[in-house]
Amino acid sequence: MTFNSLGLSEPLLRAISKKGYSEPSPIQSKVIPVILEKNDVLASAQTGTGKTAGFTLPILQLLGNERQLSNRPVRALILTPTRELAAQIYDNVRAYSAYMDIKSAVIFGGVKANPQIAALKKGVDILIATPGRLLDLHNQHFLSLHKIEVLVLDEADRMLDMGFQRDINRILNLLPPRRQNLLFSATFSKEIKRLAHGFMDRPKLIEATPENTTVEKINQKVYRVDKKKKTDLILDLIAGGRWQQVLVFTRTKHGANRLTEKMVKADISAAAIHGNKSQGARTKALDGFKKGNVRVLVATDIAARGLDIPLLPHVINYELPNVPEDYVHRIGRTGRAGASGIALSLVSLDEVEYLRDIEKLIDIKIPKETIDGFEPTEKESDLPPSPKKKNFNRSQSKSSSKQYRRNKKPKRK
């Protein structure tokens, strides 16, 4: 199948060709025709599957087919959980609309609002936004949502994880009742299905890959390691292997900062990216990493959501995530575009339960090794009994989500 067979217009095909693409990905080939028929869509797609183009291309075509209104009200709204993902989608919209009379803008927090307000005043057809900044500017009457024709909730599962349920509901109440709705999520959890049922009209269900599957070409490996020797091991792996582009995940912002400082002291260029960093610092770190000026990018899960880093060879879980689905998102940063990738996890004894949950989710026993000099010194019998797990509703408030993660953290000695 080619993009020509999907019914896309000549300006879009030119833009696709300019980006060097010839064949659509599985999610693109499934979702584009359905969106062009103006159906509501509930789609399951992992990061790195090409889902952004999957909804961007047909939206551009639908808007391009209609008569342009003189004052250019916002006609398509794309909501995302993070600033980085919003910026990435905006870049895609601009690239694919290069030969069309379509204007787009992106708004998110962490930066001054004045340039964003100026862009809105000039007229915008497609708006990419994070929920908080969108509501802020709407409440100040800098934008109107009463002409929205298409709504996209991208990475909706992460938006619920981050406590955006209330904001989403507020935004839905500001939109016209007659519109097309597109929801993209990594999984079809009960919370996602409940959310979709509340505002979608007989959505077409599309799955590009089975739920919670990992990328086949990713070489996964676990290193069992003494907790106190994790830092020395990761420095040895990166320096000894002469790895030049490594994405490292930590559970906390402070952990990301500490590890980055130790990397720099060991003469390994590194930068941290997390929610406490300013948008300027996050953009600078990501840009330096992509260009090769920064060798190691240390990130938390929320900050890294939606990052598009082509041909990333190595992902290291310095600490395993509390939520097993996040492991799938993390390692999905590598092994893209047909390339192979390596995902390593440094697992100390107090993370064994997390590892079991991950292996149960992905239905794979990940190969485990130890390295001389870094072996665990404790035995599993030395650990206190694990607390009884509680059911967790991903649509809980942000404070509840934080409390859940706090309860799940391994005890420090």
Side-chain angles (χ1 to χ4, degrees):
M1 179 178 289
T2 65
F3 282 104
N4 291 11
S5 63
L6 296 179
L8 295 173
S9 64
E10 192 275 336
L12 287 173
L13 294 175
R14 283 174 63 194
I16 293 168
S17 177
K18 186 177 180 180
K19 285 182 68 71
Y21 300 134
S22 57
E23 296 182 1
S25 68
I27 185 65
Q28 291 165 0
S29 62
K30 289 182 179 181
V31 80
I32 288 175
V34 178
I35 295 176
L36 288 176
E37 292 174 353
K38 298 189 176 182
N39 294 293
D40 280 14
V41 168
L42 177 58
S44 172
Q46 301 285 354
T47 299
T49 57
K51 62 182 172 63
T52 300
F55 60 75
T56 297
L57 291 169
I59 288 174
L60 286 169
Q61 174 128 335
L62 290 173
L63 296 186
N65 287 342
E66 297 181 3
R67 182 175 60 86
Q68 188 61 259
L69 301 176
S70 58
N71 58 343
R72 285 189 185 269
V74 179
R75 294 187 288 154
L77 174 63
I78 302 172
L79 284 179
T80 74
T82 67
R83 311 164 191 172
E84 284 75 20
L85 181 56
Q88 175 191 321
I89 294 173
Y90 175 58
D91 289 341
N92 274 268
V93 171
R94 290 182 64 193
Y96 290 125
S97 63
Y99 306 105
M100 303 179 69
D101 181 23
I102 296 286
K103 288 189 177 182
S104 56
V106 60
I107 59 174
F108 47 72
V111 297
K112 292 182 179 179
N114 288 342
Q116 299 176 359
I117 294 170
L120 291 171
K121 287 181 177 178
K122 292 178 182 178
V124 171
D125 299 298
I126 301 177
L127 181 63
I128 304 98
T130 52
R133 178 56 61 92
L134 178 75
L135 287 170
D136 181 34
L137 295 186
H138 181 273
N139 291 339
Q140 296 183 62
H141 306 291
F142 288 120
L143 65 93
S144 170
L145 301 176
H146 72 285
K147 292 289 187 180
I148 295 293
E149 299 172 19
V150 184
L151 169 70
V152 180
L153 296 186
D154 191 23
E155 303 209 350
D157 52 334
R158 177 57 65 175
M159 281 199 268
L160 296 186
D161 285 349
M162 293 171 65
F164 285 136
Q165 176 76 65
R166 286 186 178 181
D167 285 349
I168 292 172
N169 291 338
R170 290 191 189 104
I171 292 167
L172 290 173
N173 288 332
L174 298 173
L175 304 178
R178 291 177 62 91
R179 63 179 188 270
Q180 185 176 10
N181 301 290
L182 313 174
L183 187 153
F184 288 78
S185 174
T187 61
F188 287 153
S189 65
K190 291 180 180 178
E191 292 73 32
I192 289 296
K193 291 176 180 177
R194 189 181 304 119
L195 172 65
H197 180 73
F199 75 97
M200 304 189 85
D201 180 23
R202 292 171 293 179
K204 300 291 185 180
L205 199 64
I206 295 176
E207 293 184 76
T209 55
E211 285 190 43
N212 301 326
T213 56
T214 54
V215 182
E216 292 183 359
K217 291 200 173 186
I218 298 176
N219 179 11
Q220 301 176 64
K221 185 183 294 185
V222 164
Y223 285 125
R224 296 295 303 275
V225 58
D226 187 274
K227 187 172 184 177
K228 295 179 180 178
K229 296 180 180 179
K230 274 193 178 187
T231 302
D232 290 336
L233 176 55
I234 196 170
L235 293 176
D236 187 66
L237 289 170
I238 293 172
R242 297 181 180 180
W243 298 344
Q244 295 303 313
Q245 195 179 41
V246 187
L247 179 59
V248 178
F249 283 97
T250 62
R251 271 197 299 269
T252 68
K253 303 167 188 175
H254 297 299
N257 286 337
R258 287 195 300 268
L259 183 57
T260 300
E261 290 171 2
K262 291 177 181 178
M263 293 265 186
V264 173
K265 286 181 180 178
D267 291 326
I268 297 174
S269 59
I273 180 171
H274 54 67
N276 282 358
K277 294 283 187 180
S278 69
Q279 185 56 38
R282 291 161 72 163
T283 302
K284 182 180 179 181
L286 181 57
D287 187 57
F289 185 63
K290 286 183 176 181
K291 292 179 178 177
N293 300 325
V294 174
R295 191 171 170 186
V296 179
L297 189 66
V298 186
T300 56
D301 288 295
I302 289 177
R305 185 74 169 193
L307 291 185
D308 184 17
I309 305 166
L311 304 178
L312 177 64
H314 296 96
V315 170
I316 299 180
N317 292 300
Y318 181 78
E319 296 164 316
L320 288 181
N322 310 359
V323 180
E325 287 86 355
D326 286 341
Y327 174 84
V328 178
H329 297 307
R330 287 182 178 189
I331 71 169
R333 309 293 162 186
T334 186
R336 295 185 178 188
S340 60
I342 297 174
L344 305 177
S345 298
L346 310 186
V347 180
S348 53
L349 191 60
D350 57 352
E351 296 175 297
V352 169
E353 186 177 348
Y354 294 159
L355 180 60
R356 291 191 186 120
D357 290 342
I358 289 166
E359 290 182 325
K360 182 179 180 181
L361 175 73
I362 65 177
D363 196 24
I364 293 175
K365 285 292 182 182
I366 306 172
K368 300 166 186 65
E369 295 181 12
T370 56
I371 297 178
D372 292 343
F374 298 98
E375 306 93 333
T377 56
E378 293 178 303
K379 296 179 181 178
E380 201 160 338
S381 58
D382 296 331
L383 286 178
S386 301
K388 188 175 181 180
K389 292 183 180 179
K390 297 179 180 180
N391 292 328
F392 176 57
N393 185 341
R394 285 180 176 272
S395 63
Q396 287 173 322
S397 68
K398 199 170 188 178
S399 60
S400 299
S401 178
K402 286 182 177 179
Q403 183 63 45
Y404 168 77
R405 288 184 171 87
R406 196 178 298 123
N407 292 340
K408 287 281 285 181
K409 284 183 182 177
K411 294 182 180 179
R412 297 183 180 274
K413 293 196 173 183

